Amino acid sequence: MAKYIEMPKLSDTMTEGVLLKWRKKEGDKVEAGDVIADVETDKATMEIEAFDDGILHKFFVAEGARVPIGEKVALLLEKGEAPPKDGEAPATESKKSAAAKADTIAPTPDAAPAKQAASKTAASPEGGRVKASPLAKKVAAAKGVALCGLAGTGPGGRIVAKDVEGAPAGGPAAKSAAPAPVASTPAGEGDQRIALSGMRRVIAERLLTSKTTIPHFYLNIEVDAGPLMKFRADANVASEAAGASKLTVNDFILKAVVTAAAKVPAVNASFAGDAIIQYGSINLAVAVAVDDGLVTPVIRD
């Protein structure tokens, strides 16, 4: 049976993807699980897999194109099958499978507080627990939806992301603020206009949102780092002798941040509209430079 392959939702915040590269050619035979394309999302570069066996009859988008979620990217046929006539609508190969895949995506680093907020809203008024997927909790936190009022359509009545997406806002979860629009600056003579990758575009949007919607203030003190540097040098001698990795200054700074958050729990909190959520665990996001952007892996607990 002919099937369209659509652009799947590869992260909970993804609205479109850039089809970076086709890994197969038109006419190639594919099996379920084969990687057919590389896609750049707002988080990272990911792979599109085939969920059925068949022949890749035709590609509908070129490499480098921006493709909204749900838009057709390719047509998959069975061996010897004729392509559908104009007006016929073959089954969508990726929609159901992609939705299931998106609902099992690990929480992203910038959502650590939101994830915890959602886990708190997942408790029912009677004190029981509402069964919900990690992605559903994360979407609920972003939209301000109370999970306890939703009916789940997943296995065993489990709440999944699609149950949350159409639900009205309500409950203590914080809503995400939309980034302020940025005026386009025209390129002048001799200037070079460089298109943003999906990752860099999202980084810029998130930084702008953070700077314009969250009050900032700065505290400065001077610290004598001499004892720290001596301790680090001694520790690295021991580490090298044991064949372990060297400790960087960053390691000690991150340790100090965690210690401070444990000693002053009021700073390990976020604003949630009508309340402040003070988190019971400490999760530390660390910005790491990569080509053309950065990622922020989270060190949990």
Side-chain angles (χ1 to χ4, degrees):
M1 180 180 178
K3 296 181 177 68
Y4 285 128
I5 301 175
E6 294 182 350
M7 174 61 70
K9 186 174 184 179
L10 298 172
S11 78
D12 60 296
T13 56
M14 176 181 172
T15 58
E16 65 179 10
V18 178
L19 201 148
L20 295 178
K21 181 181 180 181
W22 285 109
R23 300 275 286 271
K24 299 288 186 179
K25 301 187 298 294
E26 290 184 351
D28 281 357
K29 179 180 178 181
V30 297
E31 297 180 352
D34 285 354
V35 176
I36 61 174
D38 293 331
V39 171
E40 182 185 62
T41 72
D42 58 342
K43 301 293 184 186
T45 299
M46 303 180 74
E47 298 171 339
I48 294 181
E49 296 180 358
F51 291 96
D52 283 296
D53 300 345
I55 306 296
L56 282 172
H57 174 71
K58 184 177 182 180
F59 296 150
F60 298 123
V61 296
E63 292 181 349
R66 291 188 178 275
V67 186
I69 291 174
E71 185 168 313
K72 300 176 181 65
V73 297
L75 176 63
L76 188 71
L77 301 178
E78 294 181 358
K79 185 177 181 180
E81 182 181 15
K85 299 177 182 178
D86 291 343
E88 293 183 359
T92 298
E93 182 258 8
S94 66
K95 182 177 291 184
K96 185 174 180 180
S97 301
K101 181 176 180 181
D103 203 49
T104 59
I105 292 176
T108 52
D110 61 332
K115 175 179 178 292
Q116 295 182 41
S119 67
K120 293 180 182 293
T121 67
S124 68
E126 293 77 18
R129 301 293 297 176
V130 175
K131 293 189 295 182
S133 70
L135 180 56
K137 294 177 182 178
K138 185 162 173 287
V139 174
K143 290 174 62 66
V145 173
L147 292 175
C148 59
L150 299 182
T153 59
R158 190 171 187 242
I159 297 172
V160 294
K162 67 178 182 180
D163 300 325
V164 182
E165 289 170 350
K175 294 184 179 180
S176 298
V182 179
S184 177
T185 302
E189 185 178 352
D191 296 341
Q192 182 181 7
R193 189 175 181 87
I194 302 172
L196 287 176
S197 65
M199 179 183 291
R200 294 193 72 182
R201 179 164 51 85
V202 171
I203 290 171
E205 290 174 353
R206 299 286 167 81
L207 287 175
L208 180 62
T209 300
S210 172
K211 190 65 177 178
T212 55
T213 63
I214 301 174
H216 284 61
F217 66 96
Y218 303 91
L219 302 175
N220 298 281
I221 61 172
E222 291 186 2
V223 176
D224 179 6
L228 168 63
M229 301 306 291
K230 183 179 185 306
F231 177 72
R232 172 177 173 262
D234 294 341
N236 278 336
V237 170
S239 294
E240 287 183 310
S245 300
K246 283 189 174 183
L247 297 169
T248 69
V249 175
N250 281 350
D251 296 328
F252 291 94
I253 293 175
L254 297 176
K255 174 62 176 174
V257 170
V258 173
T259 302
K263 287 186 176 180
V264 189
V267 304
N268 186 27
S270 69
F271 177 61
D274 59 351
I276 292 174
I277 298 176
Q278 188 165 301
Y279 301 114
S281 58
I282 298 173
N283 301 320
L284 190 67
V286 185
V288 179
V290 296
D291 291 342
D292 198 35
L294 58 84
V295 294
T296 52
V298 176
I299 306 170
R300 300 194 177 278
D301 298 317

